[in-house]
Amino acid sequence: MTTPTATRPAERLARLLTRLLTTITTVRAPYQAAFFRIGLSSVVLAFLLREWPNRHVLYGNHSALSFDLAQVLIREERTFTALAWGDGGLWFETVYTVTIAAAVAVLLGWRTRGASVLLMAGVLSVINRNTLVGDGGDNVVRIMVIYLVLTRCAQVWSLDARRARRRTVLSHGPGHDPVGLVLWAAAVAVLVPLSSYPAQGWSLVFWTLWAVQGVWYAAELRFPRHEARAALDAAASMLHNCAMLAIAAQVCLIYATAGWYKIQGSRWQEGSALHYALHLDYFTPWPALSGFLAGSTLMILALSCLTVMVQVAFPFTLANRKVKNVLLAVMIAEHLGIAVVLGIPFLSLAMVVCDAVFLPTAFLVALGTRCERLAERLRPLPTREIRPAVPAG
């Protein structure tokens, strides 16, 4: 019996909706998210360690922006920083050290859900304490640490993923995580005092994240194989996909805005903008290299035009995979060149990390395989016990 023609459009629509639902409820770009997690936490860790000798002058009680002026600036900008709750040296050291520890935990993928929230709170606290000393790299990091919380970035290349595999091998239930439950309960000791401070609504954000994690633990303990547990997993995957899409859109917006603003400048139109940048003392960490580049008019013109064209064209190349990959390699090389020549390492590295969300999955898988092989080669061989030979007879 043949199917009536009238039902075929309905069947096609049903298949299309089913495919769409499967797509949005499955974690997309897990390797890109893992690379983003590792790269972003590495940038934050390097930044905090580099500024360790100057931390009190930049963000502490010896800063040119006094505690009272910082309070006024924080209220006007409606930003969050835990350093506004006290100007004591011990409190500042605690926040700074905990942020470093959170960056290490996120880098290794250890308790990533809670560590990413702690990293977000620490980064916002340090940078928002004195926004007058920040640059574009600080703005990028502040935005991306918020997106990082919403991603499922520890499914590969993390200690969490290794622990999940071991738990599966040992036949433990999905809710067998006493350490996680203890850490989740201990977070109340931080959230309760936080609610008593004016945090511009951020206390509600942290309480919501804590409650969601509690629901997750309860679902794993009480009904690990129920449909409600699958619905929670699908919702988390959808949130992850939306966060990855938001990161990609943010990167495109940064490049498009920077490129179109450059087009409006007369120095960029005539191709001489980099010439003046290479003669600024602040952007010449290697005077000999800067002088060599600035001495070539043709090179300055080519680099200026290439910078504008790449930034403007990048959002339009996402539809073509081959062109996008070529342009992505050019942009990463350009950022690394800016980090060395102009001495802006953290802005450049932050943008390289953001560019990684566009890297092909096959490339990232091959990169991970090579890193695993290198780790195995560097791992010391187990020593064997040498026993004396027993004489015959």
Side-chain angles (χ1 to χ4, degrees):
M1 183 177 180
T2 59
T3 304
T5 308
T7 61
R8 290 179 181 175
E11 291 178 356
R12 293 175 182 175
L13 180 60
R15 287 196 298 267
L16 179 62
L17 292 178
T18 302
R19 188 180 303 173
L20 179 62
L21 184 61
T22 304
T23 301
I24 63 178
T25 57
T26 303
V27 174
R28 298 294 172 181
Y31 291 95
Q32 286 82 352
F35 192 94
F36 179 75
R37 182 200 86 234
I38 296 172
L40 186 62
S41 58
S42 299
V43 171
V44 172
L45 181 62
F47 172 77
L48 294 176
L49 293 179
R50 192 198 71 167
E51 301 298 348
W52 178 269
N54 307 313
R55 63 191 186 281
H56 291 286
V57 178
L58 293 175
Y59 307 107
N61 49 4
H62 297 298
S63 173
L65 186 67
S66 65
F67 181 76
D68 296 332
L69 291 177
Q71 294 275 23
V72 175
L73 187 62
I74 291 167
R75 284 195 298 268
E76 290 181 354
E77 296 182 351
R78 301 183 64 84
T79 55
F80 166 80
T81 172
L83 294 177
W85 304 342
D87 59 345
L90 179 60
W91 175 241
F92 172 77
E93 294 291 350
T94 301
V95 172
Y96 203 92
T97 306
V98 168
T99 306
I100 293 177
V104 174
V106 173
L107 174 63
L108 299 176
W110 183 80
R111 307 290 171 182
T112 313
R113 291 175 185 166
S116 61
V117 176
L118 196 62
L119 179 65
M120 177 188 69
V123 169
L124 295 179
S125 297
V126 173
I127 295 179
N128 290 338
R129 169 59 177 83
N130 186 5
T131 57
L132 302 180
V133 298
D135 57 11
D138 296 331
N139 294 331
V140 172
V141 170
R142 281 192 297 182
I143 295 172
M144 295 305 168
V145 291
I146 298 176
Y147 290 145
L148 182 67
V149 175
L150 306 177
T151 62
R152 306 184 73 175
C153 55
Q155 291 200 337
V156 294
W157 300 343
S158 67
L159 295 179
D160 290 343
R162 188 176 69 173
R163 186 176 67 253
R165 289 194 299 268
R166 287 183 175 179
R167 195 166 56 207
T168 303
V169 171
L170 296 176
S171 299
H172 288 309
H176 187 78
D177 188 14
V179 177
L181 289 172
V182 171
L183 294 176
W184 175 78
V188 179
V190 179
L191 293 175
V192 171
L194 183 146
S195 303
S196 61
Y197 293 97
Q200 306 293 346
W202 278 93
S203 58
L204 178 61
V205 173
F206 291 124
W207 275 111
T208 302
L209 294 173
W210 179 84
V212 169
Q213 185 63 31
V215 172
W216 190 278
Y217 278 130
E220 288 188 339
L221 286 172
R222 298 297 181 184
F223 41 92
R225 313 211 188 292
H226 195 268
E227 294 180 357
R229 173 65 178 79
L232 288 176
D233 192 69
S237 300
M238 292 175 61
L239 187 61
H240 162 87
N241 296 334
C242 292
M244 294 298 293
L245 182 61
I247 294 172
Q250 185 73 46
V251 174
C252 292
L253 183 62
I254 291 173
Y255 284 130
T257 304
W260 286 106
Y261 267 104
K262 285 182 175 68
I263 289 178
Q264 301 176 27
S266 59
R267 302 301 181 189
W268 285 99
Q269 291 177 5
E270 65 186 19
S272 62
L274 291 180
H275 173 81
Y276 296 99
L278 291 173
H279 284 84
L280 296 175
D281 293 337
Y282 186 76
F283 295 110
T284 54
W286 314 100
L289 179 60
S290 300
F292 170 76
L293 294 176
S296 175
T297 305
L298 183 60
M299 185 176 297
I300 291 295
L301 179 61
L303 291 177
S304 299
C305 295
L306 180 64
T307 300
V308 175
M309 287 190 297
V310 166
Q311 291 181 347
V312 173
F314 179 73
F316 301 99
T317 62
L318 298 181
N320 191 306
R321 183 179 303 177
K322 293 182 179 180
V323 177
K324 181 261 296 182
N325 291 338
V326 173
L327 208 60
L328 190 61
V330 174
M331 293 175 63
I332 292 176
E334 182 181 7
H335 284 306
L336 295 178
I338 292 173
V340 175
V341 177
L342 298 182
I344 317 176
F346 295 108
L347 170 61
S348 302
L349 293 178
M351 290 309 303
V352 169
V353 170
C354 295
D355 292 341
V357 299
F358 299 102
L359 289 174
T361 302
F363 171 78
L364 292 175
V365 172
L367 180 63
T369 303
R370 291 200 170 207
C371 292
E372 291 177 359
R373 292 176 180 174
L374 180 61
E376 291 178 358
R377 291 179 182 179
L378 297 178
R379 188 178 304 167
L381 296 175
T383 57
R384 297 180 180 179
E385 183 181 358
I386 301 177
R387 298 181 179 179
V390 179

